[in-house]
């Protein structure tokens, strides 16, 4: 329904306060407009910039350029070295199993369905799915989980590990990249089941922390679910939006 063009940039601290950020943003706005008109003329378009709440100068920059705050997100984490809750029973008739490539297309279609109404979500086609999701070099199939009803994917949790971050921080973090439940299987506690079961596997695989990013405006109430399961907010960010003709 909307062509969203994401802008991203940083200025090295010693080079700040010289107008470089403003020049970069001005260029990105022009280029973003060109891309929109070339690829999706006739469809409403908007430029988006994600800004962490600690980056006051970047927030001031995008606000002065006419962007308005549109969506709020939270990076959350859970310490895996503390006691973890007991994994609940799997609902009758369903199975909790590790991810397997045989179910990959089913997971992709389940993700399309689960996030069909989610703000900013674009249904991934097979090529994008292979490149950014289960085909990513950071994807960890061994600690990703599925809930199956027969051979149908009812719910899923896909996990990622970023080796560069681990080398830089000395902390192994398992990232919950995608978590969803298909409509026919909702309200049966499957998201909670996956979010309790996955950290046990993360810890057994050597991770010290579980992390995720959540849309704080998500109508499903996901932020509250994560908090009840022991996740705490580490950072917050705001997505700023500006219409483009």
């Amino acid at each position: 329904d909307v062509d969203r063009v994401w802008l991203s940039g940083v200025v090295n601290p010693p080079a700040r306060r010289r107008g470089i950020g403003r020049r970069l943003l001005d260029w990105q706005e022009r280029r973003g407009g060109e891309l929109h008109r070339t690829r999706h003329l006739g469809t409403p378009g908007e430029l988006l910039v994600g800004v962490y709440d600690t980056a006051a100068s970047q927030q001031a920059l995008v606000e002065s350029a006419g962007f308005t705050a549109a969506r709020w997100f939270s990076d959350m984490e859970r310490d895996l070295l503390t006691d973890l809750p007991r994994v609940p029973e799997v609902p009758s008739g369903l199975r909790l199993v590790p991810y397997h490539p045989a179910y990959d297309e089913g997971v992709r279609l389940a993700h399309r369905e689960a996030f069909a109404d989610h703000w900013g979500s674009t249904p991934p086609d097979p090529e994008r799915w292979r490149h950014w999701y289960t085909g990513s070099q950071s994807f960890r199939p061994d600690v990703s989980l599925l809930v199956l009803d027969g051979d149908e994917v009812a719910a899923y949790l896909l996990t990622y590990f970023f080796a560069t971050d681990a080398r830089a921080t000395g902390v192994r973090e398992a990232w919950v990249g995608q978590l969803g439940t298909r409509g026919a299987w909702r309200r049966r506690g499957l998201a909670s089941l996956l979010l309790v079961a996955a950290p046990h596997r993360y810890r057994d695989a050597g991770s010290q922390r579980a992390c995720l990013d959540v849309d704080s405006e998500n109508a499903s109430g996901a932020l509250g679910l994560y908090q009840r399961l022991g996740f705490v907010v580490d950072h917050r960010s705001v997505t700023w939006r500006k219409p483009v003709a």
Side-chain angles (χ1 to χ4, degrees):
D1 57 337
V2 178
D3 176 35
R4 295 183 171 96
V5 182
W6 284 88
L7 315 180
S8 178
V10 296
V11 179
N12 198 21
R16 291 176 183 168
R17 302 191 183 281
R18 293 164 59 183
I20 297 174
R22 167 64 66 182
R23 290 165 60 189
L24 286 172
L25 183 59
D26 289 347
W27 179 85
Q28 285 185 304
E29 286 196 58
R30 290 194 301 272
R31 185 65 183 129
E34 291 171 359
L35 289 172
H36 168 66
R37 289 185 290 274
T38 299
R39 298 177 179 179
H40 297 287
L41 185 65
T43 299
E46 60 186 19
L47 306 175
L48 300 176
V49 180
V51 181
Y52 276 105
D53 57 4
T54 53
S57 60
Q58 189 180 16
Q59 176 179 317
L61 173 62
V62 297
E63 194 168 9
S64 68
F67 288 76
T68 57
R71 206 77 180 181
W72 287 259
F73 295 83
S74 297
D75 285 359
M76 306 185 73
E77 61 182 38
R78 194 195 197 291
D79 185 358
L80 299 178
L81 302 182
T82 60
D83 288 339
L84 298 176
R86 182 181 62 83
V87 179
E89 294 291 330
V90 180
S92 177
L94 305 181
R95 292 182 292 140
L96 177 66
V97 301
Y99 167 89
H100 190 279
Y103 293 102
D104 191 63
E105 179 62 5
V107 179
R108 183 182 74 86
L109 296 176
H111 182 68
R112 288 173 62 97
E113 178 182 330
F115 280 79
D117 298 324
H118 190 275
W119 182 88
S121 178
T122 302
D125 58 26
E127 181 180 2
R128 182 165 170 246
W129 184 259
R130 287 192 300 269
H131 185 75
W132 292 108
Y133 294 79
T134 57
S136 166
Q137 65 178 356
S138 301
F139 177 55
R140 286 289 306 274
D142 56 315
V143 287
S144 296
L145 294 171
L146 308 177
V147 176
L148 301 180
D149 187 345
D151 283 331
E152 282 197 81
V153 176
Y156 58 92
L157 183 152
L158 304 183
T159 304
Y160 300 81
F161 170 71
F162 302 100
T164 301
D165 288 352
R167 287 195 295 269
T169 64
V171 178
R172 291 181 60 87
E173 296 177 331
W175 274 87
V176 177
Q178 291 80 39
L179 170 68
T181 304
R182 295 174 61 193
W185 288 273
R186 289 179 179 165
R187 303 189 183 282
R188 299 179 66 180
L190 300 187
S192 297
L193 168 65
L194 290 166
L195 279 170
V196 173
H200 285 270
R201 288 164 169 77
Y202 297 164
R203 185 170 63 184
D204 292 344
S207 291
Q208 298 136 297
R209 196 152 58 203
C211 303
L212 53 85
D213 175 71
V214 61
D215 183 346
S216 301
E217 299 298 306
N218 190 326
S220 70
L223 181 60
L225 169 64
Y226 299 138
Q227 290 173 326
R228 290 193 297 274
L229 295 178
F231 286 83
V232 297
V233 174
D234 181 46
H235 291 93
R236 290 185 172 88
S237 65
V238 179
T239 295
W240 293 76
R241 173 172 57 194
K242 184 175 183 178
V244 58

